[in-house]
């Protein structure tokens, strides 16, 4: 895989030809026991990504958004997670997501659109443009953050395939409900109701930064990071970036969202990263960056997580009221 920098970007392609870009080729070339321990779990047994997805990820040639901040190690981004369907501990998703098999995968699309239906993931992705790599900051509402290279497609380009009508003012997303494979969905003590649901205003969904990832670090998404397809909204708190999406609905009214349902005074619908609006129980002014080589440092949090280009979406809105 050769990833080129988009020419219209000013930030330099300072990332060295990282080990991760070539890892699979190295693994293939070695083909033996020496590197067996390095083969990610997603490739184990029947959970291996189908060939077409593997290819789609591997053929990524275009890096459209990047940053010169140090990238979080793959080991950290795949072992320190929030995915309550597999448990509430940060290590639970990596520990328990092995029982989840995301292939094959279908997404049901319904509501205010001309082209609804249930589609195989492959069909949805083949109708989109080529996959691209984007290195995004991910800022959790709990005040930790990472820098992760994702592979995927622009959300807006995918949504256009379904031809939303002018009645579609919002788009709602749902995570798959598979209690037999997701131990957190079986828990009697869960304080969130499943399936996990999220939503965006239509103009937010069409913003070019809204992204659907099918891979990270040059490989298909591991289960704990939301295989086979999850949202990334880098200017919003991490909980908006819903994982393992199985339904997309175009709707007229603002849809319910999981964390807002659990505590509406703590988690709003918009959830834009904002250092000036604290969580009722903690400050949002700074964050704990889990950066390259496992280094952890406390850094100031930036408005919209530093993605200023989204500001026009919220012009005239009081971001304290619409948090
Ligand atoms: N379905 C689902 N999606 C989810 C979550 C979850 O618990 N369930 N957690 C969210 C939160 S709080 C964060 S910070 C990110 C974490 O993504 P990561 O584990 O890939 O870093 O996923 C988000 N998406
Ligand atoms: Mo989060």
């Amino acid at each position: 895989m050769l990833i080129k920098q988009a020419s219209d970007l000013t930030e330099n392609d300072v990332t060295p030809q990282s080990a991760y870009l070539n890892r699979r080729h190295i693994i293939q070339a070695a083909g033996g026991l020496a590197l067996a321990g390095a083969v990610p779990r997603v490739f184990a047994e029947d959970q291996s990504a189908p060939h077409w997805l593997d290819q789609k990820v591997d053929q990524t040639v275009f890096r459209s958004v990047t940053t010169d901040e140090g990238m979080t190690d793959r080991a950290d981004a795949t072992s320190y997670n929030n995915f309550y369907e597999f448990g509430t501990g940060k290590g639970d998703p990596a520990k328990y997501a092995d029982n989840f098999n995301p292939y094959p995968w279908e997404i049901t699309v319904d509501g205010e659109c001309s082209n609804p239906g249930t589609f195989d993931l492959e069909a949805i992705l083949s109708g989109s443009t080529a996959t691209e790599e984007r290195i995004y900051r991910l800022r959790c509402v709990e005040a930790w953050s990472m820098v992760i290279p994702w592979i995927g497609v622009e959300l807006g380009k995918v949504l256009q395939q379904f031809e939303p009508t002018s009645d579609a003012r919002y788009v709602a997303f749902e995570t798959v409900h598979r209690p037999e494979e997701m131990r957190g969905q079986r828990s009697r003590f869960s304080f969130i109701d499943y399936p996990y649901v999220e939503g965006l205003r239509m103009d937010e969904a069409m913003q070019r930064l809204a992204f659907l990832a099918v891979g990270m670090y040059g490989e298909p998404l591991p289960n704990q990071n939301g295989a086979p397809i999850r949202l990334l909204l880098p200017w919003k708190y991490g909980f908006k970036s819903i994982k393992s999406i199985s339904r997309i609905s175009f709707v007229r009214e603002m849809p319910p969202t999981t964390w807002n349902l659990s505590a509406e005074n703590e988690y709003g619908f918009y959830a834009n990263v904002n250092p000036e609006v604290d969580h009722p129980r903690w400050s949002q002014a700074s964050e704990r960056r889990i950066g390259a080589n496992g280094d952890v440092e406390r850094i100031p949090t930036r408005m919209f997580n530093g993605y200023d280009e989204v500001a026009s979406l919220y012009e005239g809105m009081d971001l304290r009221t619409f948090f």
Side-chain angles (χ1 to χ4, degrees):
M1 172 168 44
L2 181 69
I3 296 185
K4 290 205 186 109
Q5 187 70 5
S7 53
D8 59 341
L9 278 154
T10 50
E11 285 183 278
N12 294 327
D13 188 9
V14 292
T15 311
Q17 267 302 351
S18 320
Y20 80 85
L21 293 179
N22 294 313
R23 172 164 42 201
R24 278 195 297 165
H25 303 281
I26 293 164
I27 289 168
Q28 280 160 15
L33 295 168
L35 281 165
V39 178
R41 249 200 295 220
V42 70
F43 293 116
E45 295 165 355
D46 58 341
Q47 298 189 15
S48 55
H51 187 60
W52 66 265
L53 180 57
D54 214 17
Q55 274 197 329
K56 193 97 185 152
V57 167
D58 205 34
Q59 283 165 357
T60 300
V61 291
F62 184 67
R63 178 179 293 160
S64 55
V65 182
T66 190
T67 169
D68 55 11
E69 291 152 282
M71 272 194 283
T72 303
D73 286 358
R74 184 185 188 282
D76 290 324
T78 58
S79 65
Y80 186 90
N81 301 100
N82 276 332
F83 199 168
Y84 277 36
E85 283 84 339
F86 295 109
T88 55
K90 293 284 179 284
D92 287 346
K95 199 162 155 197
Y96 298 118
D98 266 356
N99 295 329
F100 181 66
N101 189 345
Y103 310 112
W105 191 263
E106 288 182 336
I107 299 181
T108 296
V109 180
D110 55 19
E112 310 294 341
C113 65
S114 307
N115 189 17
T118 295
F119 303 94
D120 200 75
L121 179 60
E122 184 178 7
I124 290 176
L125 291 179
S126 66
S128 320
T129 49
T131 48
E132 47 183 286
E133 182 174 70
R134 297 187 179 190
I135 303 180
Y136 276 167
R137 294 180 285 277
L138 176 75
R139 170 51 158 93
C140 177
V141 75
E142 298 163 334
W144 53 266
S145 65
M146 295 187 180
V147 178
I148 299 177
W150 305 100
I151 285 171
V153 290
E154 232 175 83
L155 174 65
K157 290 181 181 166
V158 171
L159 295 184
Q160 271 164 3
Q161 296 176 36
F162 310 121
E163 298 173 25
T165 68
S166 56
D167 287 327
R169 293 181 54 232
Y170 295 88
V171 55
F173 303 88
E174 209 173 280
T175 294
V176 76
H177 190 61
R178 287 195 195 169
E180 64 292 348
E181 294 179 33
M182 297 172 136
R183 67 194 330 258
Q185 291 183 338
R186 297 196 296 269
S187 168
R188 289 183 297 124
F189 306 104
S190 174
F191 52 96
I192 65 177
D193 285 328
Y194 295 106
Y196 194 101
V197 289
E198 259 305 334
L200 293 168
R201 228 170 47 196
M202 211 52 200
D203 60 341
E204 298 182 295
M206 301 312 283
Q207 215 287 339
R208 69 161 197 133
L209 291 173
F211 198 59
L212 279 169
V214 295
M216 67 194 293
Y217 299 91
E219 297 171 0
L221 283 183
N223 290 346
Q224 61 267 35
N225 294 91
I229 185 162
R230 59 93 54 90
L231 208 55
L232 270 325
L233 304 160
W235 71 97
K236 292 178 178 287
Y237 291 122
F239 66 82
K240 298 291 293 182
S241 293
I242 183 172
K243 295 176 171 179
S244 305
I245 297 166
S246 64
R247 180 183 293 271
I248 299 175
S249 307
F250 297 100
V251 295
R252 293 165 188 247
E253 308 293 335
M254 184 181 280
T257 56
T258 286
W259 282 98
N260 180 255
L261 290 169
S262 83
E264 62 174 353
N265 61 321
E266 300 190 8
Y267 310 102
F269 174 83
Y270 287 97
N272 292 317
V273 175
N274 189 338
E276 285 160 25
V277 178
D278 287 338
H279 185 279
R281 291 183 281 128
W282 59 85
S283 166
Q284 294 292 25
S286 68
E287 65 202 54
R288 191 167 53 90
R289 167 63 54 81
I290 302 164
N293 308 313
D295 289 345
V296 178
E297 57 172 339
R298 171 77 43 194
I299 59 171
T301 287
R302 295 198 265 162
M303 187 67 206
F304 300 122
N305 202 21
Y307 297 97
D308 301 331
E309 68 178 83
V310 303
S312 59
L313 291 170
Y314 311 105
E315 244 171 302
M317 281 173 63
D318 179 353
L319 298 180
R320 279 179 192 281
T321 310
F322 299 101
F323 59 94

